[in-house]
Amino acid sequence: MAVERESVDTSEAEIAVHWGEENYVYPSAEFIAQANMTDPSVFDRFSLENFPNCFKEYADLLSWYEYWQTTLDTSDAPCWKWFVGGKINASYNCIDRHLAKNRNKTAIHFAPEPVGEKYEHITYQELYVRVNEFAALLRDFAGLKKGDRVTLHMPMVPELPITMLACARLGVIHSQVFGGFSGKACADRIVDSQSRVLITMDAYWRSGHLIDHKHGADIACDLAGKDGQKVDKVLIWQRYPGKASSPTAMVKGRDYFVNEELNKYYGARIEPERMSAEAPLFLMYTSGTTGKPKGCQHSTGGYLAYVTGTSKYVQDIHPEDVYWCMADIGWITGHSYIVYGPLALCASTVIFEGVPTFPDAGRAWKIAQDLNVNIFHTAPTTIRALRKIGPDEPAKYKFKFKHMTTVGEPIEPEVWRWYHEVVGKGTAAIVDTWWQTETGGFLCSTLPAIKPMKAGSTGPGVPGIHPIIFDENAKEIPRGAGKAGNICIQNPWPGAFQTIWGDRDRFVRTYYERYCKNPKSKDWRDWPYLTGDAAVEAPDGYYRILGRIDDVINVSGHRLGTKEIESAAMTVAEVAEAAVVPVKHDVKGIEPDLYIALKPGFKASEALEKKISDAVCSEIGKIAKPRRVWLVKDMPKTRSGKIMRRVLASISNKKDVGDVTTLANPEIVEDIRKMSK
Ligand code: PRX
């Protein structure tokens, strides 16, 4: 079939500074003795021969109103349908079903950022009450019903999972936008999902500042309105109910404080909607190769089964555990492994409002000590930062993790060892989990009690995930060859997203077209899923992920499209051309460097550099802020006029630029290189 490909002349995978194979590290007997999964035959049960029925094991962890008849329906390939015929509600599974035995148990521990503010411990009963009352408000005051989309732009507070679970109770599709994203980024997602209700919070704490978050809602509504999507209600949770924390005025007839309206729904109880397994549960927007983020549509039954199964067996969550995933719920990690997975298993999940380095580098360990956290989950960028500024801090606090996770980026063996020895105090089992927004849950990881750990490697496919590595010509790289290629997944799995919201063609093109064996086929074997990552497989079946092969970069564990940043820079009138390249950074992993050629007649200045950098922050958010804006006389170009990002990336990474004699303007390379000195 015709393969349409974005041309990428430099990628994360290409600049990856990688490491070799490390030795195995074994989990302790104590860990194994208590683990949820200790039976190595799980890999036979989840072999390709037993696919797809093996996933019944995960579906059976849930409570169904009506049991499903078909495990996997492939008739609309590659939009797979799981557990067809089943009826289920995610809110019921995360709350109601636990009440009989565990209503007094803490569902959510909330750690506010100000040290002087008390922890909040929300029991399952209280969660039930708050979710029901808010669901009543959403239904009766906001007029939301099954299938509607609603955009959330919320910080890390318990009101966020309460909102998500209230939506799920009604069958309303939530689309949470990371709180750190700008009003403009929020507007784009409101428009794409056609949301007419925005749910936000007036303010939240970050690094000692009470940030005015309501301001972003006004920008989002204005811009969405200009783009044809009117927001008729903004529901605003107050960080301190009854007290104004944001100087931004309320808009009459549009903005409402949740706590004021909520009084009218005191005591309301809402029967959960009986959703079909394939009904969408939420959208999660993520970056791709174009400027426009894509809304990954996740299902109810398949998604919930997958995150519950992997939370139980990979995260080793038991109901008695205190589990802390320090991601943000605005990313997929938070949806799957702060909210849905742990709550479906009746665990206690921790939500932390702030940053782990504020007020000092011991903050995370203090929270762990206070709450007696025993499972910890974070990203390498955080581990690197905590190691850099507080290498001896963990030893000062009394906490003991039985299990720790790393997610989102490759972790250097040296950093892994600090995590293991200093944070894990030499005894915690570590899993390095590789997956994506699109995949709903883990793809590769070791199973903590069955497979030994190996620093710097993610591990083999988790049960039921069968990776395969292809070369550029769609030839399979032999298993265990240690040779880099494009890692794909051979089979569907229940956690996988169903499509890109409103853009099935883009879904098929981006994830399946490249290695599809027959576009007419209804057989899943013909549709390997392209992850967009490069990887190598060692002889023992463990994978090492090298990084993205496309125009996506991973900045501090946050996924950004280089095209998105370039489009943001192009909104500045003086800019003629923009090119973003990934640069290695010892804490953030990768940073974006932004090269700009100005329109004729404009002169380079520091003020202009700042203007462009500010534009990127207001279009996307501070996380996309370039390391440096380089105002160059011209971009290095091929004779056909294509910007040679590879050359720019070499300069930014202080690498040899290689042969540039075939460029249309080779002299410019030296000019730019001099700027970097
Ligand atoms: O490049 C891979 C990297 O993060 C990408 C997915 O980003 P996102 O959709 O934001 O989801 C992040 C959290 C699941 C992947 O394509 N990535 C994720 N986990 C790892 C990783 N790279 C190496 N090792 C990992 N454990």
Side-chain angles (χ1 to χ4, degrees), residues 540-556:
D540 59 3
Y542 281 43
Y543 294 90
R544 271 183 291 140
I545 305 296
L546 302 172
R548 302 286 310 188
I549 55 170
D550 54 14
D551 290 326
V552 169
I553 55 174
N554 202 324
V555 180
S556 301

Side-chain angles (χ1 to χ4, degrees), residues 12 286-287 331-333 337 380 406-411 431-439 441-442 444 456-458 531-534 544-549 552 554 557-560:
E12 274 190 4
T286 192
S287 300
W331 308 110
I332 191 71
T333 304
Y337 299 114
T406 159
V407 60
E409 310 153 69
I411 182 165
V431 293
D432 177 341
T433 57
W434 168 68
W435 60 297
Q436 313 176 299
T437 305
E438 293 87 338
T439 70
F442 304 141
C444 284
S457 292
T458 166
T531 65
D533 281 332
R544 271 183 291 140
I545 305 296
L546 302 172
R548 302 286 310 188
I549 55 170
V552 169
N554 202 324
H558 300 321
R559 177 166 159 185
L560 295 167

Side-chain angles (χ1 to χ4, degrees), residues 9 635-646 662-665:
D9 60 17
M635 298 282 192
K637 286 192 180 149
T638 61
R639 297 221 166 101
S640 60
K642 200 168 149 287
I643 300 175
M644 285 298 280
R645 289 179 175 74
R646 179 179 57 75
T662 56
L663 294 186
N665 52 353

Side-chain angles (χ1 to χ4, degrees), residues 315 323-328 333-334 337-338 352 354-357 364-365 373 375-387 401 403-411 415-416 418-420 423-424 429-435 442 556-558:
Q315 295 291 281
Y323 167 85
W324 183 13
C325 170
M326 208 166 56
D328 193 292
T333 304
Y337 299 114
I338 297 179
F352 173 44
V355 291
T357 47
W365 319 128
V373 172
I375 307 184
F376 185 69
H377 186 156
T378 194
T381 186
T382 308
I383 305 170
R384 288 185 213 112
L386 290 172
R387 172 175 179 246
F401 297 146
H403 179 293
M404 304 193 303
T405 300
T406 159
V407 60
E409 310 153 69
I411 182 165
V415 179
W416 190 97
W418 181 80
Y419 196 35
H420 186 243
V423 181
I430 295 187
V431 293
D432 177 341
T433 57
W434 168 68
W435 60 297
F442 304 141
S556 301
H558 300 321

